[in-house]
Amino acid sequence: MAARFEFEHSLAFAPDDAPEILRSIPTLPGVFALHGTPAPEGQPPAQPYLTRAADLRRRITRILAPPDSQSKRLNLRSRVARIDYTITGSEFESTLTLYHASAAAFGLDEARRRLKLRTPFFLRFTAENDYPRVYSTNRLSKRALANFYGPFPSRAAADRYCDAVLDLFKLRRCVEDLVPYPEHPGCVYGEMNKCLAPCNQACTPAGAAAYAAEAAAVHAFFDTHGESMLARLTADRERASAELDFERAAELHAQWQKVKAAAALADSLVQPIPRLRAIILQKAVAASQTPHPVILSQEKPVILSNNPAILNNEKPVINNENTVILSEDATPVASESKDLRLSSQDSLTPALSPELRAAALIAALESEATAHTDLATLSDHLSLLRRWYYRPEKQRAGEVFFPREDSAGQTAWPIRRILNGAARISLGDPKPLAETAKTRV
């Protein structure tokens, strides 16, 4: 079922007052809908004209200006009775707003068709099977969601990563529903010693235990982006070096490089779906024009707000309607709905450090995230994320940050890096220092 969506601004339109009405529309990027007159009773309502624009006033004026008899350009001047629009701060926010507006106006299926959303490809680890295997797929399953890893930019990228990882282990690659028996002929991977051949070896307790251990190692590799295997190889290499077994150390180093190359085929975005969490920083509209934040979430939240950090060109600000504002003068502002309001007299206390205020902001955003109950909506959100994330870096506006695991095994957000990213987006990259002439005294 499509979520309810409302545009921020609504204007009644009449052709006689068109110049004045169109002048009131800002020259900013956003999403707009043009509605006709209400349909007569008993007839289905007319669908609105819904799209996004880099300049709302210019785009709407082109559609509602007096028609030119010689032009074939679309003109709806005589049919439009109302203009709805929402200002956005980035292309990603425009796409996300357009998705929600389309879902509310036309339904989820039509919204997916209009935005050409396709479920991304993932790797699935069949942990529920007695003899697990890994394969690429774009069909999500709610029961096995914890064993889906992705999203990948394409099926080819998912298969590439899958093959590279399986080359490090001896997990089966056959697709049959395996029922082992001693006379099973096996396959070419077993003959090449690239598979433990559970089709015939798992008939014994030792063979079944060996395959279960190999499957657990593969599962740990995917869960940790290869760190589980890299840490073991590093320890073994250091031990061999300490024992002056340099040949063994060289072999382990070569294996370490191979594992590192395989792990590098999966970007930081490739995570178990319930554990996928990210913060995107992008420029947004002014605080007075900011819409309510839209948070895409899963069982554990993925903070993909259309403005998780609101950044303007005047001073670095991290803002959320329900949380704290980090401003240049270190004076925090908070909404009445949150117990985060702080007086200006406390501005010099350690509690008002930018790191703590950013941590409070992130915690508030995480508390607003809700679990997805609809796999189709989850698929749409992941598709929108994949479309933005896997663009060439020069074409990808904004920065993305992922939580990192500390020495105690707890995940934490890189607060300092997030603050630096907010400053870069708001103020731009720091200018190089001017060269100074060195003089000898």
Side-chain angles (χ1 to χ4, degrees):
M1 183 177 180
R4 184 178 179 181
F5 175 85
E6 292 182 0
F7 284 94
E8 289 182 322
H9 307 278
S10 183
L11 300 173
F13 179 79
D16 294 339
D17 302 325
E20 181 180 353
I21 295 172
L22 294 175
R23 277 196 300 269
S24 67
I25 299 174
T27 57
L28 295 172
V31 176
F32 69 91
L34 304 180
H35 300 268
T37 55
E41 187 176 354
Q43 294 187 8
Q47 291 186 342
Y49 178 83
L50 177 63
T51 188
R52 62 180 180 178
D55 186 326
L56 286 170
R57 182 191 297 175
R58 182 176 62 183
R59 182 68 179 275
I60 296 175
T61 300
R62 290 179 63 185
I63 298 174
L64 300 181
D68 185 352
S69 59
Q70 303 299 323
S71 175
K72 297 181 179 180
R73 181 184 298 169
L74 174 67
N75 190 283
L76 302 176
R77 182 183 180 89
S78 60
R79 300 185 181 183
V80 172
R82 190 176 86 248
I83 304 172
D84 294 339
Y85 67 90
T86 291
I87 303 170
T88 57
S90 65
E91 184 182 355
F92 181 78
E93 185 181 352
S94 294
T95 303
L96 186 59
T97 303
L98 180 61
Y99 167 76
H100 287 294
S102 300
F106 312 119
L108 286 172
D109 291 338
E110 180 64 13
R112 295 182 194 112
R113 188 191 69 80
R114 286 172 175 252
L115 272 71
K116 300 180 180 179
L117 297 180
R118 301 290 183 270
T119 304
F121 275 89
F122 308 88
L123 289 186
R124 164 134 191 232
F125 182 86
T126 58
E128 71 280 2
N129 195 289
D130 292 335
Y131 307 99
R133 67 186 184 93
V134 183
Y135 63 96
S136 61
T137 180
N138 63 346
R139 294 185 178 182
L140 295 175
S141 169
K142 184 177 294 187
R143 290 189 305 170
L145 202 59
N147 295 313
F148 280 81
Y149 300 88
F152 288 88
S154 63
R155 180 170 188 169
D159 288 338
R160 214 165 26 241
Y161 180 53
C162 182
D163 291 340
V165 173
L166 291 181
D167 284 342
L168 304 173
F169 298 93
K170 296 183 179 180
L171 210 67
R172 73 185 182 103
R173 308 192 191 199
C174 52
V175 299
E176 60 183 292
D177 190 7
L178 196 60
V179 180
Y181 59 94
E183 294 79 17
H184 195 289
C187 67
V188 66
Y189 289 104
E191 295 177 2
M192 293 189 299
N193 199 28
K194 289 188 174 183
C195 175
L196 290 179
C199 49
N200 47 50
Q201 299 297 324
C203 296
T204 64
Y211 192 84
E214 192 76 357
V218 174
H219 204 180
F221 187 99
F222 285 125
D223 281 340
T224 63
H225 264 271
E227 290 299 324
S228 60
M229 194 173 186
L230 288 170
R232 177 177 59 81
L233 289 173
T234 300
D236 292 344
R237 183 184 60 188
E238 298 300 326
R239 191 180 306 111
S241 297
E243 296 172 356
L244 303 182
D245 189 355
F246 299 118
E247 292 185 3
R248 174 64 177 162
E251 292 177 1
L252 290 170
H253 182 68
Q255 189 175 359
W256 183 92
Q257 289 180 316
K258 184 177 180 180
V259 173
K260 191 71 174 178
L265 293 176
D267 210 287
S268 299
L269 186 63
V270 176
Q271 302 277 352
I273 298 304
R275 285 166 43 190
L276 178 55
R277 304 163 68 202
I279 292 178
I280 295 176
L281 297 184
Q282 292 184 339
K283 286 190 175 183
V285 294
S288 61
Q289 299 171 319
T290 301
H292 294 286
V294 180
I295 298 177
L296 310 186
S297 61
Q298 292 150 198
E299 293 180 11
K300 289 191 178 179
V302 179
I303 305 177
L304 299 174
S305 171
N306 56 351
N307 56 342
I310 297 170
L311 307 168
N312 60 36
N313 293 321
E314 299 177 357
K315 54 187 177 181
V317 175
I318 297 181
N319 177 25
N320 181 275
E321 223 172 21
N322 298 319
T323 53
V324 180
I325 299 175
L326 304 181
S327 64
E328 191 178 50
D329 57 6
T331 303
V333 181
S335 71
E336 297 180 358
S337 62
K338 297 288 182 181
D339 189 19
L340 294 173
R341 290 187 297 166
L342 303 167
S343 67
S344 59
Q345 297 176 354
D346 299 328
S347 61
L348 299 179
T349 63
L352 290 182
S353 66
E355 290 84 356
L356 291 179
R357 283 179 285 156
L361 170 67
I362 294 172
L365 284 172
E366 287 189 290
S367 67
E368 294 179 11
T370 56
H372 271 304
T373 57
D374 180 21
L375 285 183
T377 304
L378 171 60
S379 169
D380 292 343
H381 288 173
L382 290 173
S383 180
L384 290 169
L385 172 60
R386 179 205 60 177
R387 183 178 293 180
W388 173 83
Y389 183 85
Y390 286 112
R391 285 184 173 185
E393 192 169 349
K394 291 184 178 180
Q395 300 178 15
R396 190 176 72 189
E399 297 188 29
V400 61
F401 299 90
F402 301 94
R404 297 181 296 185
E405 190 172 295
D406 57 21
S407 57
Q410 301 293 325
T411 57
W413 293 99
I415 301 296
R416 174 52 58 184
R417 291 182 56 212
I418 292 174
L419 290 174
N420 291 337
R424 282 193 299 271
I425 294 173
S426 178
L427 305 174
D429 292 328
K431 296 180 180 179
L433 295 176
E435 295 185 2
T436 57
K438 296 182 180 179
T439 59
R440 182 177 297 178
V441 178

